[in-house]
Each structure stands twice: as C-alpha cells, then as structure tokens.
Amino acid sequence: MNRQSNSYTIIYASVLVLVVGVVLSVVYQALRPQQLENIADDTKKQILASARIVPTGEQNISELYSNHIKDSYIVNNKGQKIDGDMSAFDVNVSLESKKPADERLLPVFECTTDSGLKYILPVYGAGLWGPIWGYIAFDNNGDTIYGAYFAHAGETPGLGAEIEKPAFQSQFDGKDIFSKSGEFQSVAVVKVGKEPADQAWVHAVSGGTITSQGVQKMLFNSLEPYSTFLKSLSSGADAVSSQGGNEDSAASNNN
C-alpha cells in the first residue's frame, strides 16, 4: 500500500486510535478497584475527622474507621430505622438532599471516641462555585455538636475555601441546634456584629459571604430531617425503631 496515500493515513490513524482506546480501557478497568478504594478511604477519613479523629503516620484508614465506627444505619425523617440492603455508607447524600424531607434516606454513623459515643450525620449543599459537603458529629444528647468537617469542590482559595480549615470548623464545637423550648434552629453563620441572641452561631468566612450562607443553608436543610431522631437521643429513648414497627413504637419515637 502506498504510504503517501490518503487511504493509508486514514487506516493507520484508525488502527492507532483503536489500539490506544483498548489500552486505556484495560488500564482503567485494572485501576478501577484501587480508585474506588481510595474514594472510600477519603470518605471514611472525612467521617472520622468530624469526630476529631485524625490518622497519624501510616495508620490505615480502613482499620481506624472499623475501630471507631461501631454501627451505621439509615433512618427516615420520623426517626425510624429503615431496613434494607443498602448501607449507610453507600447512600448518595447529594441526591437525597434534593428530595423532600419525608422521602430521604438519612445515614447515621455511631462513633466511639475518648469522649464517649458520637452520632455522625452527613450534610450537603451548594457554595458559590459548586457543591459543598461535610459531616457533623453530635454528642449523645442529640443536640450539642461535638465536631464538624466541611469540604468543597471549587470555592475560592483564601475566601470561600476557608470553610475546610480548622479555624472555621472548630467554631461549631459545643453549639446546640435546638432552642431551649426544643425547636430545631440549626446554627447561624453570621458576620461579626450580626450575632443573634436567640440562636447558636459562628462567624462567617471573611470575604466568603455566599459560601458562608451556603453552609448555613446546608446545615438547616440537611439536619432538620434528622430532628426527630436527634430528639429521641436527648430524651433517652431508643435511637431508632423499625420502620415496620407497631404504632405504639412509632409514637414513642416521635415524642
């Protein structure tokens, strides 16, 4: 075949594209398990971070997670445990956050710490440039925040991106999300000088107003559906009941 002809060039290019495509596909499939494991480890690291548990040195994330997360399950907005094949770890919080509260699958992670049992709940929302998310760890009274972790997809460095820094996150430690009368309020994220007198608050990121407002909306939207579940903890009631339980059991969990 004439190597200077157009047909030779087209055939050569087609074969080359085909070979490269096959090689890339094989490499992708070979690396996929490791990629999924890395994603899972990163999620586990974020969950633990909300409970102030940070791996040291070459400490294995999966082992650390197994040592501290002793139980996980899914509840509905009535505080009832949902039985099924899906694990709390596999719930797509991004998709669930867009559903009405009474249709959401709400993951709960029980974490043992040096300060006692903590309940970790995921949160998801929108910042200025993209999604923001995180995890909130609660004391076993179901009201007081023990720790918080936030991350983002593309907020501005030095501004909105500061939500991922300890200086911002540590402000949430010790904040209560219910009023003295038991009403769910969440935590306000406000500018200096705008602190509310009747609600727990933290200071917004300087220069990151929209991202800070996004955090506030994210917390309210994500945590409000858990309010019945959290109240059941503070009342000393059983944390979860079976969704298929009798009416007396359900009523007890709603009190």
Side-chain angles (χ1 to χ4, degrees), residues 4 8 48 57 64 78-79 91 93 95-96 98 107 117-118 126 138 179 195 204 216 220 230 232 243 248 252 255:
Q4 304 301 320
Y8 177 84
L48 293 174
L64 188 65
K78 296 180 180 180
V91 172
V93 181
L95 294 179
E96 296 300 322
K98 298 176 177 62
L117 182 65
K118 309 301 174 185
F138 286 90
S179 67
E195 300 86 355
Q216 177 173 286
F220 192 95
L230 292 170
S232 74
Q243 186 177 24
D248 290 338
S252 175
N255 291 332

Coordinates of all heavy atoms in Angstrom, one line a residue, residues 4 8 48 57 64 78-79 91 93 95-96 98 107 117-118 126 138 179 195 204 216 220 230 232 243 248 252 255:
Q4 N 1.9 7.1 1.1 CA 1.7 8.5 0.9 C 0.2 8.8 0.6 O -0.2 9.9 0.4 CB 2.6 9.0 -0.2 CG 4.1 8.8 0.0 CD 4.6 9.4 1.3 OE1 4.2 10.6 1.6 NE2 5.4 8.7 2.0
Y8 N -4.1 5.2 3.3 CA -3.1 4.6 4.2 C -3.2 5.5 5.5 O -3.2 4.9 6.6 CB -1.7 4.6 3.6 CG -0.7 4.2 4.6 CD1 -0.4 2.8 4.8 CD2 0.0 5.1 5.4 CE1 0.5 2.4 5.7 CE2 1.0 4.7 6.3 CZ 1.2 3.3 6.4 OH 2.2 2.9 7.3
L48 N -14.5 10.4 60.0 CA -13.7 10.4 61.3 C -13.3 11.8 61.7 O -13.2 12.1 62.9 CB -12.5 9.5 61.1 CG -12.8 8.0 61.0 CD1 -11.5 7.3 60.7 CD2 -13.4 7.4 62.2
G57 N 0.7 9.3 60.9 CA 1.7 8.5 60.2 C 1.1 7.6 59.1 O 0.4 8.1 58.2
L64 N -8.7 2.2 61.1 CA -9.1 3.2 62.0 C -10.6 3.4 62.0 O -11.3 3.6 63.1 CB -8.4 4.5 61.7 CG -8.5 5.7 62.6 CD1 -7.9 5.3 64.0 CD2 -7.9 6.9 62.1
K78 N -38.9 10.4 60.4 CA -39.6 10.2 61.7 C -38.7 9.5 62.7 O -39.2 9.2 63.8 CB -40.8 9.3 61.4 CG -41.8 9.9 60.5 CD -43.0 8.9 60.2 CE -44.0 9.6 59.3 NZ -45.2 8.6 59.0
G79 N -37.4 9.4 62.4 CA -36.5 8.8 63.3 C -36.5 7.3 63.4 O -35.9 6.6 64.2
V91 N -25.2 5.5 50.7 CA -26.3 6.4 50.4 C -25.7 7.6 49.7 O -24.7 8.2 50.1 CB -27.0 6.9 51.7 CG1 -28.0 8.0 51.3 CG2 -27.8 5.7 52.3
V93 N -25.8 11.1 49.3 CA -26.3 12.2 50.1 C -26.6 13.4 49.1 O -27.6 14.1 49.4 CB -25.3 12.6 51.2 CG1 -25.9 13.8 52.0 CG2 -25.0 11.5 52.1
L95 N -27.9 13.2 46.1 CA -29.3 13.0 45.6 C -30.3 13.1 46.6 O -31.4 13.7 46.4 CB -29.3 11.6 44.9 CG -28.4 11.4 43.6 CD1 -28.6 10.0 43.1 CD2 -28.8 12.4 42.6
E96 N -30.1 12.6 47.8 CA -31.1 12.6 48.9 C -31.4 14.0 49.3 O -32.5 14.3 49.7 CB -30.6 11.8 50.1 CG -30.4 10.3 49.8 CD -31.7 9.6 49.3 OE1 -32.7 10.0 49.9 OE2 -31.6 8.8 48.5
K98 N -31.8 16.6 47.7 CA -32.7 17.3 46.7 C -34.1 16.8 46.9 O -35.0 17.3 46.2 CB -32.2 17.1 45.3 CG -30.8 17.7 45.1 CD -30.3 17.4 43.7 CE -29.0 18.1 43.4 NZ -27.9 17.7 44.3
P107 N -28.5 8.7 56.5 CA -27.5 7.9 57.1 C -27.1 8.4 58.5 O -27.0 9.6 58.8 CB -26.3 8.0 56.1 CG -26.8 8.6 54.9 CD -28.0 9.5 55.4
L117 N -19.7 8.1 73.1 CA -20.4 7.8 71.8 C -20.8 9.1 71.1 O -21.4 10.0 71.7 CB -21.6 6.9 72.0 CG -22.3 6.4 70.8 CD1 -21.4 5.6 69.9 CD2 -23.6 5.7 71.2
K118 N -20.5 9.2 69.8 CA -21.0 10.3 69.0 C -21.8 9.8 67.8 O -21.6 8.7 67.3 CB -19.8 11.1 68.5 CG -18.8 11.5 69.5 CD -19.4 12.4 70.6 CE -18.3 12.6 71.8 NZ -18.9 13.3 72.9
A126 N -24.8 23.8 48.6 CA -24.1 24.5 47.5 C -23.4 25.7 47.9 O -23.9 26.5 48.8 CB -25.2 24.9 46.4
F138 N -22.4 14.7 66.7 CA -23.2 15.1 67.8 C -22.9 14.3 69.1 O -22.6 13.1 69.0 CB -24.7 15.0 67.5 CG -25.2 16.1 66.6 CD1 -25.2 15.8 65.2 CD2 -25.6 17.3 67.0 CE1 -25.7 16.7 64.3 CE2 -26.1 18.2 66.1 CZ -26.1 18.0 64.8
S179 N -33.5 25.0 70.3 CA -33.7 26.1 71.3 C -34.1 25.5 72.6 O -34.3 24.2 72.8 CB -34.9 26.9 70.8 OG -36.1 26.2 70.9
E195 N -24.5 38.8 65.4 CA -24.7 37.6 66.1 C -26.1 37.6 66.7 O -26.5 38.6 67.4 CB -23.7 37.5 67.3 CG -22.3 37.4 66.8 CD -21.6 38.8 66.6 OE1 -22.3 39.8 66.7 OE2 -20.4 38.8 66.3
A204 N -18.9 34.0 60.0 CA -18.8 33.6 58.6 C -17.3 33.8 58.2 O -16.5 34.5 58.8 CB -19.7 34.5 57.7
Q216 N -24.7 27.7 56.0 CA -25.9 27.8 56.9 C -27.1 27.1 56.3 O -27.8 26.4 57.0 CB -26.2 29.3 57.1 CG -27.4 29.6 57.9 CD -27.6 31.0 58.2 OE1 -26.9 31.6 59.1 NE2 -28.6 31.7 57.6
F220 N -29.1 23.6 57.8 CA -30.5 23.6 58.1 C -31.2 22.5 57.3 O -32.0 21.7 57.8 CB -31.2 25.0 57.9 CG -32.6 25.0 58.4 CD1 -32.8 25.6 59.7 CD2 -33.7 24.6 57.7 CE1 -34.1 25.6 60.2 CE2 -35.0 24.6 58.2 CZ -35.2 25.2 59.5
L230 N -32.8 13.0 66.4 CA -31.9 13.6 67.4 C -32.6 13.8 68.7 O -32.0 13.6 69.8 CB -31.3 14.9 66.9 CG -30.3 14.7 65.7 CD1 -30.0 16.1 65.1 CD2 -29.1 14.1 66.2
S232 N -34.9 12.0 69.9 CA -35.0 10.7 70.6 C -33.8 10.3 71.4 O -33.9 9.7 72.4 CB -35.3 9.6 69.6 OG -34.2 9.2 68.8
Q243 N -39.0 0.6 60.9 CA -40.0 1.3 60.2 C -41.3 0.5 60.1 O -42.4 1.1 60.0 CB -39.5 1.6 58.7 CG -40.4 2.5 57.9 CD -39.8 2.7 56.5 OE1 -39.0 2.0 56.0 NE2 -40.2 3.8 55.9
D248 N -47.6 2.0 68.5 CA -47.1 2.5 69.8 C -45.7 2.8 69.7 O -45.2 3.8 70.3 CB -47.4 1.4 70.8 CG -48.9 1.3 71.1 OD1 -49.6 2.3 70.8 OD2 -49.4 0.2 71.6
S252 N -43.9 6.4 70.2 CA -42.8 6.6 71.3 C -41.6 7.3 70.7 O -41.1 8.2 71.3 CB -42.4 5.3 71.9 OG -41.4 5.4 72.8
N255 N -42.1 11.2 70.2 CA -42.3 12.1 71.4 C -40.9 12.7 71.8 O -39.9 12.1 71.5 CB -42.9 11.3 72.5 CG -44.3 10.9 72.2 OD1 -45.0 11.6 71.5 ND2 -44.8 9.8 72.8

